[in-house]
Amino acid sequence: MPPVISGLPQTVGDWLGYIESLHPKSIEMGLGRVQTVAARLQLTFPFTVITVGGTNGKGSTCAMLERIYSNAGYQVGCYTSPHLVHYQERVRFNGHVIADALLCDAFAAVEQARGDVTLTYFEMGTLAALWAFEQQPLDVVILEVGLGGRLDAVNIVDADCAIVTNVDLDHMEFLGDTRELIGHEKAGIYRQQQVAICGDAAPPDSLLAYAETLGVKLNRFGVDYQIDLSDTQRAHYHDAQGALDIGTLSLFGHYQWNNAANVIFAVRALQSRLPVTQTQLLHALTATEVTGRFQYLHHAPDVILDVAHNPHAARALCDNLQRLSADGSQVMAVFSMLSDKDIASVVEILHQVIDVWHIAPIDHPRAASMSYLQACLSQKVPLAHIYSHSDLAAALQSAYKTAAKNDKIIVFGSFFTVAAILELTPDQWCA
């Protein structure tokens, strides 16, 4: 435990305020500064590491892996981002969020080690998580890439297994505006002689070329492993090690089967060092739930939360909503996004399944303005029913009051949109 130094923050809230002020930018690509501080912290990563990158599906993939290895009796650390309500959600031990005291100790250790090195909010948090993991006797640590892969802070760790879930357009100001440019960045988490997995059925050539240059054996969805759905919503997985029948997932959406297939291949590939029985694997897969991933908050009318915030996620959300609204019920959106996201494309994809839009601002410096949200909707859906509200609580309350029992209310557009609703008590919107 680092010694208490006078003047350092003493609570998690104070630390978060402090680390927000450390760097003029919220994002700065590059590993040099993080590697320097990691060396000073003498981080050794004495556990099996699984790194998960990709455009979408990272959180669900991490949750499945975390549940599987915890069910199998291993000591498991998991680092994901962003959080929804409390920062501590980002760092978990066997499914439980990090204790405030350990998180404060971790921030203090990084602060003392960094000296005159400037770190972003995410870099400081990543190093703190890694330091905290090394204070516990862990068997396996699961790390979610924050942005991209090649230059993301998480990539200072040489993963024993690296999964790229899929490649699509997001964070284009940092990663490039084509799948080829983004694929090159995502592939940066692969390592020679370690397990490399790609869950994209049609990966960009740049990802394949990067893996080939590294000399890694890239295990590809649809080539080296596959999953087939039956009419009963059960799935049949198969790879070179044999077949496996899977029951219904708790996570909703066809794309979750793709995530499950990636996870099964990873667990089988690591079987020699982290043995897991078939029963443990299947039970964990079918029981995994993730907050904010097509999560039901209320029934009759259904209120569903989804963090979809880019075109790839919007297409998956559209597919889910089409399945649910086949009964002729009305779909109402409670919607807001950040200004640096592709709002127009998200609206264009989803307008076909949404009948009424309730929009409100996000409480965040990068929030899209109400006028911009309104303009995107009016341009893409000129005949849409659009209602503006002062905040997301008022938007949900209005949607709920006008919804029939069989209607669907989908809250989506950002992690911050979903988080704002999760912080409410039911009587604040469904009275």
Side-chain angles (χ1 to χ4, degrees):
M1 179 184 299
V4 176
I5 297 178
S6 176
L8 286 184
Q10 299 299 311
T11 68
V12 171
D14 289 344
W15 269 112
L16 295 178
Y18 174 69
I19 65 176
E20 283 179 341
S21 70
L22 285 180
H23 199 285
K25 299 178 184 178
S26 60
I27 298 170
E28 182 175 345
M29 307 298 282
L31 300 182
R33 290 168 295 106
V34 185
Q35 288 171 328
T36 295
V37 180
R40 294 176 184 174
L41 286 166
Q42 298 182 321
L43 299 179
T44 59
F45 316 120
F47 28 65
T48 298
V49 175
I50 304 172
T51 298
V52 181
T55 302
N56 292 301
K58 298 188 295 292
S60 298
T61 300
C62 289
M64 291 179 188
L65 288 165
E66 182 181 21
R67 186 71 176 259
I68 289 166
Y69 286 118
S70 293
N71 272 22
Y74 294 106
Q75 297 299 304
V76 184
C78 190
Y79 175 59
T80 59
S81 65
H83 60 278
L84 280 168
V85 180
H86 303 292
Y87 184 93
Q88 292 89 325
E89 297 166 24
R90 296 184 180 215
V91 186
R92 299 189 297 277
F93 295 90
N94 297 319
H96 301 288
V97 300
I98 188 172
D100 284 10
L102 179 56
L103 182 56
C104 288
D105 287 344
F107 282 139
V110 178
E111 174 65 10
Q112 292 171 50
R114 74 177 183 86
D116 60 354
V117 177
T118 58
L119 296 172
T120 66
Y121 182 91
F122 180 77
E123 291 166 346
M124 187 88 171
T126 300
L127 287 167
L130 294 173
W131 183 90
F133 289 147
E134 295 208 3
Q135 311 314 303
Q136 307 293 321
L138 300 180
D139 301 303
V140 57
V141 166
I142 302 151
L143 304 175
E144 179 184 353
V145 172
L147 191 157
R150 185 175 64 91
L151 299 177
D152 185 83
V154 164
N155 203 35
I156 64 169
V157 186
D158 292 329
D160 301 283
C161 173
I163 303 170
V164 174
T165 57
N166 47 61
V167 180
D168 213 279
L169 302 180
D170 199 9
H171 300 295
M172 291 180 285
E173 68 276 30
F174 297 102
L175 305 179
D177 58 1
T178 67
R179 288 184 77 239
E180 290 298 329
L181 291 171
I182 293 172
H184 176 80
E185 296 300 321
K186 302 289 186 189
I189 64 174
Y190 294 141
R191 295 294 191 273
Q192 282 185 326
Q193 299 181 328
Q194 303 295 354
V195 180
I197 299 170
C198 179
D200 196 311
D205 291 339
S206 60
L207 182 144
L208 301 177
Y210 196 112
E212 185 176 358
T213 299
L214 285 178
V216 305
K217 165 62 174 77
L218 185 61
N219 301 285
R220 295 173 53 186
F221 177 79
V223 177
D224 300 285
Y225 61 100
Q226 184 60 275
I227 195 163
D228 302 309
L229 293 179
S230 69
D231 293 335
T232 60
Q233 289 301 296
R234 296 181 68 85
H236 181 75
Y237 171 91
H238 52 93
D239 62 23
Q241 295 189 40
L244 188 64
D245 287 318
I246 310 167
T248 302
L249 299 178
S250 296
L251 293 167
F252 190 85
H254 277 328
Y255 58 93
Q256 295 292 1
W257 291 108
N258 189 185
N259 294 331
N262 302 333
V263 166
I264 294 169
F265 189 91
V267 170
R268 285 184 161 190
L270 294 172
Q271 190 75 358
S272 62
R273 69 175 75 186
L274 295 169
V276 176
T277 69
Q278 181 171 304
T279 300
Q280 290 166 338
L281 172 64
L282 292 176
H283 181 268
L285 271 182
T286 56
T288 300
E289 298 178 332
V290 186
T291 303
R293 275 66 166 188
F294 215 80
Q295 173 193 356
Y296 278 79
L297 193 64
H298 188 276
H299 292 280
D302 291 342
V303 178
I304 303 164
L305 309 180
D306 198 287
V307 296
H309 58 273
N310 56 46
H312 185 269
R315 287 190 288 272
L317 177 57
C318 182
D319 181 62
N320 283 347
L321 290 174
Q322 284 176 324
R323 296 173 188 279
L324 288 184
S325 57
D327 60 0
S329 60
Q330 184 173 232
V331 177
M332 310 168 91
V334 174
F335 174 65
S336 198
M337 290 183 69
L338 298 179
S339 60
D340 54 2
K341 298 299 180 180
D342 190 354
I343 299 173
S345 293
V346 168
V347 169
E348 187 167 17
I349 291 165
L350 282 158
H351 82 269
Q352 60 185 301
V353 293
I354 293 175
D355 303 289
V356 181
W357 298 78
H358 291 268
I359 62 174
I362 297 172
D363 183 17
H364 191 276
R366 288 167 29 228
S369 67
M370 290 293 286
S371 60
Y372 186 59
L373 288 173
Q374 182 84 41
C376 286
L377 284 165
S378 298
Q379 181 181 8
K380 296 293 181 181
V381 202
L383 300 180
H385 298 287
I386 306 168
Y387 301 94
S388 298
H389 303 275
S390 59
D391 55 47
L392 287 159
L396 179 55
Q397 186 177 56
S398 178
Y400 181 83
K401 285 182 176 179
T402 56
K405 290 291 186 182
N406 66 331
D407 285 344
K408 315 293 188 290
I409 301 171
I410 178 68
V411 180
F412 79 101
S414 172
F415 278 83
F416 300 103
T417 307
V418 170
I421 300 306
L422 286 173
E423 291 185 282
L424 302 174
T425 60
D427 61 3
Q428 290 178 288
W429 56 268
C430 68

